[in-house]
Amino acid sequence: MMKTNYSKLALLLAATGAMTLAGCSGDDGKDGEPGRPGGEPAAEIETLILDVTKVSYENNTPTVEVFATNEEDLAVVGLVDLSIENAAQLIPAGASGAGDSANWQKLGSTSTFVDNKNGTYTFTFDSFDTETFNKDLTQRFNIIAKASTLANGTTIVPVTEIVEDFDGEGYQAIFTKDVVSHEVCTACHAEDQTIYHRATTVETCITCHTQEWAEGRGKPEVAFSHLVHNVHNSNKVWGRNDYTAETAHTLVQDNCQLCHVENEDLAEWGNWTRVPTMEVCTSCHVDIDFKAGTGHPQQQDNSNCVACHNASWTEEIHTSGLAQKKAFIDMYGMSTTLTANKADENDMSATLSVTILDDEGNKVDATSLVSKLARVETITNVGPNFPIMGYNPNPNGLQKVTKDFVLQGALQDDVTIVDGSFQYTIDSLPFGEGDADTAFSFVGFEMCNDGVQAIDCAEEVATTSMKADLAHGTFSGEEPSLRHIDSVNFSTCQNCHGETFELHKGYHAGFIMTEQLGREVDGEMTVGIDGCVTCHTPDGTYASGANLGSIEMKLHKTHASQDIIGDCAQCHNDFNLDAFIMKGALATSPGLYTTPVTATCASCHGVEEIKAHAESQGAIVNGDFTEANQAVELEFCLRCHIPTVENHTLTKF
């Protein structure tokens, strides 16, 4: 692979506008050498902390000192699987050619080090590109400790990756390139889990997948700036096995700002608009061949890109669609009520009323909107904490109530408009004692629009799912029973899915989960997913347990199967273990049920994998409906297991 040397003049001119780093790598906040703990070395390592404390050069070859500690600031001695995966230098924007973005250039790697037995490790390079090395450039060292054990063969070492930047003499770097943050990636990708190859951090990905490295292999498409966009949209396949990015595309929905988040700690977070290049654009715009002049005026390099694609225009064209969609969604809301009629002692009917509101909370006459509504969908169940009506008829013969109020611009049978609101009478609901005194309705609506305003529905007219709503009503007239919403941090859902994610659009009207679904919990407005249990019942969904459809299992199963979520804290802010007191058995196979704690655990760990242990502790696994429900109080799990978000394997022993 050919390495390119750049003249000092070109580098200095290119770096003129570069930003300086806010702080100095390897500093412990005190003057002089970083503090180093004394005493015995770490016996356990829950978190491995690495830091490059010294870089020196001789004959243009670096010697690098790395300091390792654990979470208690104890020196870590005996690391074995430790390496400088990449030593690289940063070619400033414009240095390799007018209009080119800044790019890293690999210089070498090494696993040759000396364990100094005091927490420090001294790395030397057997092979380093001294001819390409330029001391006028920022130098980066990408340090990786693999998941392994110490030299004693027993102490577990967690995977750890860092990058630290210096100038060409081992001092504070003058400029660097940081466009996206590791924290943004871990909003979806689990912390410390491999993203694709071995890498667990975006900084490692960037430092490895350099433009020069990719072109040297004859695969320019694997340069990070191209690859990272390619694997998050499904416009074309990628990888040697022709992978598609349908799942990622469904989540990201071409929302650039999910990843490109303004951050004062990132020197170049905004260069996605400032530095347009052919390499980046073709990752999404696959119908363009710049050099052939297909789909775009012909050009051989990036020198003229910014002449047309200035920063403000680039930002607007990539964000206006989503901003427009968000603005349209915010134009309307709903207010829903569910009221038990109780005309006599045998009357178990209830009236469901849906009022459309404008962006100021004022009622909009439903009559004026019917022709513009693609669908108003309602789903009603009983017992918020443990719904007693199945998606399909359950062993008790109970099934949720579904009713479309409007479909393709037409008011449906038995639905009326009273005082400007949609109304429908549910003939009978199985109200009962306790939690079953409360019925609840989840409502979604989908509007026809031209992107700016609602218009009459027609065959080719686009539709948008709007804000969902949730209503509770009791037979007794007392305050409703409410499902807990304090264990899932809804902001983490939006961090990955975005604010305009249309959940289940297609089969359903689509549900936009927003603050409209929130209620106050411990003094804070909290958005929950409690409406989802109208369909995701203990009896499962359409497959009656075959797809682990209950809400307690479905979210775990779905997210785990996508190899994205691997850490409880990515979604949970707490575990409300008391919620199991109100639950019964969950369908884990068609017609077969499992006690609730075991079923929930099995959604990640597998039914068969935990079956023997769970049954030895009083659980029923894939048993009879009645038998499993009778065994709920005998299930012994939470008398030993006390899972926390930080450690879901925690026990009392």
Side-chain angles (χ1 to χ4, degrees):
M1 177 173 62
M2 183 180 70
K3 291 295 182 81
T4 306
N5 289 288
Y6 302 100
S7 72
K8 185 172 183 178
L9 177 61
L11 296 171
L12 290 174
L13 289 173
T16 299
M19 300 179 66
T20 60
L21 287 176
C24 177
S25 299
D27 189 4
D28 67 348
K30 301 177 182 179
D31 294 334
E33 292 291 320
R36 295 179 180 175
E40 293 295 319
E44 295 183 351
I45 310 167
E46 184 174 327
T47 302
L48 178 63
I49 302 165
L50 300 176
D51 185 24
V52 178
T53 53
K54 184 179 180 181
V55 179
S56 60
Y57 289 88
E58 183 175 348
N59 298 325
N60 286 347
T61 302
T63 297
V64 180
E65 183 179 273
V66 175
F67 187 37
T69 56
N70 72 352
E71 69 282 355
E72 296 180 349
D73 202 28
L74 296 176
V76 174
V77 175
L79 289 172
V80 175
D81 290 323
L82 186 64
S83 65
I84 298 179
E85 186 77 4
N86 291 290
Q89 61 187 10
L90 181 61
I91 309 304
S96 58
D100 287 353
S101 63
N103 276 290
W104 294 100
Q105 182 182 43
K106 292 186 181 186
L107 298 177
S109 61
T110 183
S111 298
T112 302
F113 64 85
V114 174
D115 182 349
N116 299 313
K117 307 301 181 183
N118 61 356
T120 66
Y121 299 79
T122 303
F123 283 87
T124 55
F125 287 80
D126 298 323
S127 178
F128 189 80
D129 193 345
T130 57
E131 293 184 3
T132 303
F133 168 77
N134 189 325
K135 68 181 182 63
D136 296 312
L137 298 181
T138 296
Q139 305 294 317
R140 167 169 286 187
F141 299 97
N142 175 206
I143 320 297
I144 295 180
K146 297 179 182 177
S148 58
T149 62
L150 293 181
N152 60 22
T154 57
T155 304
I156 300 297
V157 177
V159 63
T160 304
E161 298 178 5
I162 65 165
V163 296
E164 293 195 28
D165 299 340
F166 300 85
D167 72 4
E169 296 180 346
Y171 298 110
Q172 177 178 346
I174 297 172
F175 62 94
T176 191
K177 179 184 180 180
D178 287 317
V179 178
V180 295
S181 71
H182 174 69
E183 290 71 25
V184 164
C185 297
T186 55
C188 287
H189 295 279
E191 185 78 60
D192 295 336
Q193 290 200 3
T194 55
I195 295 173
Y196 179 57
H197 297 300
R198 295 169 296 170
T200 63
T201 70
V202 66
E203 291 84 2
T204 294
C205 299
I206 290 169
T207 312
C208 186
H209 284 263
T210 69
Q211 190 71 40
E212 187 175 80
W213 171 81
E215 290 178 354
R217 301 179 72 204
K219 296 181 177 181
E221 70 276 6
V222 300
F224 183 80
S225 59
H226 183 99
L227 180 67
V228 72
H229 295 97
N230 191 181
V231 301
H232 287 90
N233 77 78
S234 58
N235 294 340
K236 64 179 179 180
V237 298
W238 60 277
R240 61 176 64 94
N241 294 318
D242 288 345
Y243 294 111
T244 62
E246 293 178 2
T247 298
H249 199 175
T250 299
L251 297 178
V252 177
Q253 295 184 330
D254 298 319
N255 186 348
C256 304
Q257 292 176 307
L258 278 179
C259 299
H260 293 285
V261 177
E262 182 173 359
N263 187 331
E264 63 182 14
D265 294 327
L266 300 181
E268 295 191 356
W269 78 268
N271 84 338
W272 70 281
T273 62
R274 295 196 304 263
V275 191
T277 66
M278 298 185 297
E279 293 81 16
V280 172
C281 294
T282 52
S283 59
C284 293
H285 301 283
V286 298
D287 54 348
I288 292 177
D289 185 332
F290 287 99
K291 294 185 178 181
T294 304
H296 188 279
Q298 189 175 31
Q299 64 183 68
Q300 298 302 310
D301 55 39
N302 296 311
S303 56
N304 288 322
C305 294
V306 75
C308 295
H309 302 282
N310 62 64
S312 59
W313 183 88
T314 301
E315 181 176 7
E316 180 182 358
I317 203 69
H318 285 88
T319 61
S320 59
L322 285 162
Q324 186 173 280
K325 180 179 179 181
K326 178 68 165 59
F328 178 71
I329 289 171
D330 287 342
M331 288 176 65
Y332 295 96
M334 273 189 295
S335 176
T336 306
T337 61
L338 180 62
T339 307
N341 294 319
K342 297 189 292 185
D344 56 52
E345 62 181 11
N346 296 316
D347 183 12
M348 304 289 276
S349 67
T351 297
L352 181 59
S353 175
V354 176
T355 301
I356 308 296
L357 307 173
D358 65 19
D359 58 354
E360 295 183 351
N362 301 313
K363 177 189 288 189
V364 180
D365 190 340
T367 304
S368 67
L369 285 180
V370 170
S371 64
K372 300 175 176 63
L373 293 168
R375 190 177 185 186
V376 178
E377 177 186 17
T378 72
I379 309 144
T380 302
N381 212 316
V382 172
N385 288 283
F386 195 71
I388 62 175
M389 305 171 77
Y391 183 101
N392 299 318
N394 62 18
N396 289 325
L398 302 176
Q399 182 179 14
K400 70 184 190 309
V401 176
T402 60
K403 178 65 179 178
D404 286 332
F405 282 17
V406 178
L407 197 59
Q408 294 303 314
L411 194 68
Q412 298 300 285
D413 293 342
D414 301 325
V415 179
T416 58
I417 297 177
V418 179
D419 295 331
S421 299
F422 296 110
Q423 283 194 5
Y424 171 71
T425 299
I426 300 171
D427 290 337
S428 181
L429 288 172
F431 287 109
E433 299 295 323
D435 194 46
D437 179 52
T438 301
F440 59 109
S441 297
F442 193 41
V443 185
F445 76 110
E446 184 180 3
M447 295 197 77
C448 299
N449 65 91
D450 60 7
V452 177
Q453 61 184 354
I455 61 175
D456 286 346
C457 296
E459 187 173 340
E460 299 298 323
V461 172
T463 67
T464 299
S465 301
M466 308 298 283
K467 296 179 180 180
D469 200 23
L470 178 64
H472 295 81
T474 63
F475 187 78
S476 66
E478 302 294 328
E479 288 296 309
S481 172
L482 300 175
R483 187 182 180 92
H484 77 96
I485 56 173
D486 57 353
S487 64
V488 173
N489 183 351
F490 184 70
S491 65
T492 63
C493 302
Q494 290 191 330
N495 286 343
C496 198
H497 290 278
E499 295 180 309
T500 60
F501 184 72
E502 297 172 280
L503 186 64
H504 289 323
K505 183 181 179 181
Y507 184 78
H508 293 283
F511 309 104
I512 301 290
M513 311 289 281
T514 69
E515 77 290 339
Q516 182 167 307
L517 291 167
R519 67 175 187 266
E520 191 172 293
V521 177
D522 296 329
E524 293 186 9
M525 181 57 64
T526 303
V527 178
I529 57 171
D530 42 338
C532 301
V533 299
T534 52
C535 279
H536 288 276
T537 74
D539 302 286
T541 53
Y542 61 88
S544 299
N547 62 354
L548 304 184
S550 77
I551 197 68
E552 292 86 351
M553 297 186 289
K554 184 63 174 179
L555 290 177
H556 295 140
K557 175 179 177 290
T558 298
H559 288 100
S561 68
Q562 294 169 348
D563 293 325
I564 296 175
I565 301 298
D567 181 355
C568 302
Q570 285 179 264
C571 300
H572 285 279
N573 58 283
D574 193 10
F575 287 154
N576 188 332
L577 301 180
D578 290 339
F580 284 101
I581 296 172
M582 302 186 72
K583 297 185 190 299
L586 306 176
T588 46
S589 189
L592 300 177
Y593 288 76
T594 299
T595 43
V597 178
T598 299
T600 302
C601 295
S603 60
C604 283
H605 295 285
V607 174
E608 292 303 318
E609 286 75 4
I610 67 172
K611 186 177 189 297
H613 173 71
E615 288 181 337
S616 71
Q617 303 302 312
I620 296 294
V621 178
N622 281 338
D624 172 75
F625 172 78
T626 302
E627 180 185 14
N629 276 289
Q630 290 174 342
V632 167
E633 293 185 3
L634 302 177
E635 191 178 37
F636 200 78
C637 304
L638 296 181
R639 299 180 195 178
C640 296
H641 293 272
I642 49 172
T644 66
V645 172
E646 296 75 21
N647 181 6
H648 80 282
T649 66
L650 194 64
T651 66
K652 295 180 181 179
F653 306 108

